[in-house]
């Protein structure tokens, strides 16, 4: 083998020999030429490999070595056939074979070589952020500390009902009426607590008011007013509500839109907040009549046809599912229940009231072999013992095709939602009992899920409830019942402690409505309207 010095000398000698050849002579092949040619060829190959072949071996050669710690774990890789939504799980349609292990590895390799674009965690909250005030506790949680008899209610101990974020105490199975989990003895006026608890766990809360689509005011207006509805002076009834309004209007968040982007929940009917004058003998407070509150959106259990700033939302029922699977199980059970009665009525008469046909309903139900009457008596706080039993009421509804829902003290009843929860088709006697109220939650085609028997005909004795319902074909009854069962998710309030709800409940429907309403108001202001 030649040394490097010898090789260099030979190169120099070749150059001298070539120079000594006379013109026109044929020189011997020069080693310099060979070396130059090899060098040029190598450089051309490197240039082509680096710039002409994507993902080539040459590009790999110039990358820094990959360490084990920089490799993604297989558990962290989500396989998705849609690269624009890599964070979503794959949903295989019928006819597609499941991914094999080889396909999984191949897809994982591709995703690591060219990572799919992913959304930032906040993207799904765009346009859905809610700013919630941290109000002084006197406006909410302090009200719960004194929940004993005569405090939140004139003659009831409300402590069992404010438990579990307003759901109350868990209900036992009681003969299969409340199977599984998610059933509680919930008072109809606990919406303030339930809504606030849901909002605390809302995934799109923000501490930046400028990002908020709407602003939530966690004032327990329903609970607060319930303390003083009976035999209290108007100064006592109005004191805390005026205090809350004064606190609000001083906030910079309020001044941004004058409260037009704010909303609150007052878990009673609108008539408990619309006292017409400052007279002690008149019922209720004036909360919803103050100009500042009229600027806001208020959710109540029953609204007034004279206002556009209040929306009616469902009364709380006994069912508060933790997840979509709980709802599906409940629905499937209802589809299998044997219904022995054509129709039923659960309630008490209203002697002397010309606004309701309860007396006529009770009379017709007693005279019919197809009606199940659950007579509750008429004394406030008393009556038949079973009237205070959730299982007793639900057992009547679950065994009936139709449930009669006349007016009570006001146009609406919690019983409407208990009936729907039982898969029982509600029968109304006035449009104001449902159709003009729950426009956010009920279908516009009222005949799909309910029956309307005009009040006047029943009151005059010209209409037979039994004959009217018997004329509905069995196939139509089954179709209507299925529609009622499908309504259940939209009219129940999920367990406020759950973080895996997985379906749109009454809370979600209401929240979407207020977000849309505020957005429309902002567009109107931007357009100068």
């Amino acid at each position: 083998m030649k040394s490097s010095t010898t090789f260099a000398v030979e190169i120099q000698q070749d150059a001298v020999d070539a120079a000594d050849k006379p013109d026109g002579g044929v020189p011997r092949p020069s080693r310099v030429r060979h070396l130059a040619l090899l060098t040029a060829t190598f450089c051309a190959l490197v240039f082509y490999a680096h710039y002409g072949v994507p993902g080539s071996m040459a590009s790999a050669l110039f990358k820094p070595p990959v360490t084990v710690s920089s490799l993604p774990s297989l558990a962290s890789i989500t396989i998705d056939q849609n690269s624009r939504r890599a964070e979503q799980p794959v949903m295989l349609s019928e006819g597609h074979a499941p991914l094999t292990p080889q396909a999984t590895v191949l897809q994982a390799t591709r995703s690591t070589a060219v990572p799919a674009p992913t959304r930032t965690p906040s993207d799904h909250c765009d346009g859905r952020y809610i700013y919630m005030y941290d109000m002084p506790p006197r406006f909410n949680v302090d009200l719960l500390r004194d929940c004993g008899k005569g405090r939140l209610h004139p003659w009831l101990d409300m402590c069992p009902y404010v438990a579990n974020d307003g759901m109350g105490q868990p209900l036992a199975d009681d003969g299969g009426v409340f199977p599984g989990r998610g059933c509680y003895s919930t008072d109809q006026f606990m919406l303030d607590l339930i809504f606030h608890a849901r909002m605390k766990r809302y995934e799109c809360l923000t501490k930046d008011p400028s990002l908020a689509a709407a602003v939530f005011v966690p004032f327990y207006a329903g609970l607060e007013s319930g303390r003083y509805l009976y035999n209290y002076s108007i100064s006592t009834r109005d004191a805390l509500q005026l205090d809350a309004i004064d606190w609000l209007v001083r906030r910079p968040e309020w001044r941004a839109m004058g409260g037009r982007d704010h909303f609150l929940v007052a878990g009673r009917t609108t008539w408990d907040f619309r006292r017409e004058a400052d007279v002690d003998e008149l019922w209720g407070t004036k909360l919803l009549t103050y100009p500042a509150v009229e600027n806001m959106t208020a959710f109540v259990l029953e609204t007034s046809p004279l206002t556009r700033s209040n929306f009616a939302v469902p009364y709380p029922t006994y069912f508060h599912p933790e997840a979509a699977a709980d709802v599906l199980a409940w629905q499937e059970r209802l589809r299998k229940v044997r219904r022995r009665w054509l129709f039923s009525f659960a309630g008490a008469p209203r002697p002397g009231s010309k606004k309701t046909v309860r007396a006529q309903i009770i009379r017709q139900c007693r005279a019919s072999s197809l009606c199940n009457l659950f007579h509750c008596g008429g004394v406030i706080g008393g009556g038949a013992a079973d009237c205070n039993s959730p299982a007793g009421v639900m057992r009547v509804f679950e065994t009936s095709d139709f449930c009669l829902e006349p007016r009570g003290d006001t146009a609406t009843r919690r019983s409407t939602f208990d009936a729907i929860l039982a898969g029982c088709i509600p029968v109304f006697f006035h449009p104001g009992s449902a159709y003009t109220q729950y426009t956010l939650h009920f279908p516009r085609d009222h005949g799909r899920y309910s029956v309307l028997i005009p009040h006047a005909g029943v009151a005059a004795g010209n209409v037979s409830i039994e004959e009217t319902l018997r004329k509905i074909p069995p196939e139509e009854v089954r179709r209507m019942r299925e529609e009622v069962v499908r309504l259940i998710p939209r009219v129940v309030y999920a367990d406020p402690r759950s973080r895996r709800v997985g379906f749109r409940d009454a809370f979600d429907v209401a929240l979407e409505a207020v977000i849309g309403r505020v957005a429309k108001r902002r567009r109107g202001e931007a357009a100068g309207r």
Side-chain angles (χ1 to χ4, degrees), residues 203-263:
E203 61 178 349
C204 295
L205 282 181
T206 178
K207 295 183 178 180
D208 184 353
S210 67
L211 295 177
V215 179
F216 178 54
V217 180
F219 172 43
Y220 292 172
L223 278 183
E224 195 279 326
S225 65
R227 298 187 301 170
Y228 304 125
L229 284 177
Y230 302 90
N231 304 322
Y232 283 91
S233 66
I234 58 172
S235 59
T236 301
R237 280 180 261 166
D238 295 346
L240 192 63
Q241 295 182 0
L242 289 172
D243 186 11
I245 294 171
D246 184 65
W247 184 89
L248 273 176
V249 298
R250 295 174 183 271
R251 302 283 300 187
E253 297 87 354
W254 176 276
R255 291 195 293 270
M257 287 186 66
R260 287 162 53 80
D261 56 347
H262 285 47
F263 70 102

Side-chain angles (χ1 to χ4, degrees), residues 60-297:
L61 290 173
F62 292 103
K63 287 183 178 180
V66 179
T67 62
V68 174
S69 60
S70 66
L71 290 173
S73 67
L74 290 178
S76 68
I77 298 173
T78 301
I79 310 303
D80 198 327
Q81 295 168 335
N82 182 352
S83 61
R84 291 176 297 175
R85 298 190 63 188
E87 76 284 3
Q88 298 295 330
V90 173
M91 299 297 291
L92 294 177
S93 60
E94 293 184 5
H96 286 83
L99 295 174
T100 63
Q102 291 83 359
T104 302
V105 173
L106 177 60
Q107 185 74 12
T109 304
R110 288 176 180 170
S111 67
T112 55
V114 184
T118 57
R119 298 178 300 179
T120 61
S122 63
D123 281 352
H124 74 290
C125 289
D126 288 346
R128 299 174 56 225
Y129 282 113
I130 298 294
Y131 178 80
M132 181 171 65
Y133 282 119
D134 183 14
M135 297 188 77
R138 67 181 183 275
F139 296 127
N140 40 56
V141 295
D142 279 357
L143 297 173
L144 308 180
R145 293 175 180 170
D146 197 4
C147 55
K149 185 175 181 179
R151 301 300 183 178
L152 289 179
H153 192 282
W155 49 79
L156 293 178
D157 178 1
M158 297 300 293
C159 293
Y161 297 103
V162 303
N164 295 312
D165 287 330
M167 294 187 297
Q169 300 299 324
L171 287 171
D173 186 316
D174 206 341
V177 177
F178 296 112
R181 60 189 178 188
C183 298
Y184 295 82
S185 180
T186 306
D187 182 80
Q188 62 180 338
F189 297 134
M190 287 295 117
L191 188 57
D192 300 10
L193 277 68
I194 294 171
F195 209 97
H196 188 201
R198 281 294 303 276
M199 189 60 71
K200 289 177 183 177
R201 294 166 177 82
Y202 178 59
E203 61 178 349
C204 295
L205 282 181
T206 178
K207 295 183 178 180
D208 184 353
S210 67
L211 295 177
V215 179
F216 178 54
V217 180
F219 172 43
Y220 292 172
L223 278 183
E224 195 279 326
S225 65
R227 298 187 301 170
Y228 304 125
L229 284 177
Y230 302 90
N231 304 322
Y232 283 91
S233 66
I234 58 172
S235 59
T236 301
R237 280 180 261 166
D238 295 346
L240 192 63
Q241 295 182 0
L242 289 172
D243 186 11
I245 294 171
D246 184 65
W247 184 89
L248 273 176
V249 298
R250 295 174 183 271
R251 302 283 300 187
E253 297 87 354
W254 176 276
R255 291 195 293 270
M257 287 186 66
R260 287 162 53 80
D261 56 347
H262 285 47
F263 70 102
L264 60 79
V265 174
R268 300 184 71 92
T269 69
T270 189
W271 314 111
D272 292 338
F273 309 103
R274 292 190 174 277
R275 192 180 70 241
E276 295 179 351
D278 291 336
V279 179
D280 286 348
E281 289 73 23
L282 293 179
W283 179 263
T285 73
K286 296 177 66 177
L287 176 68
L288 297 182
T289 67
Y290 295 118
V293 179
E294 287 184 328
N295 278 0
M296 295 193 285
T297 299

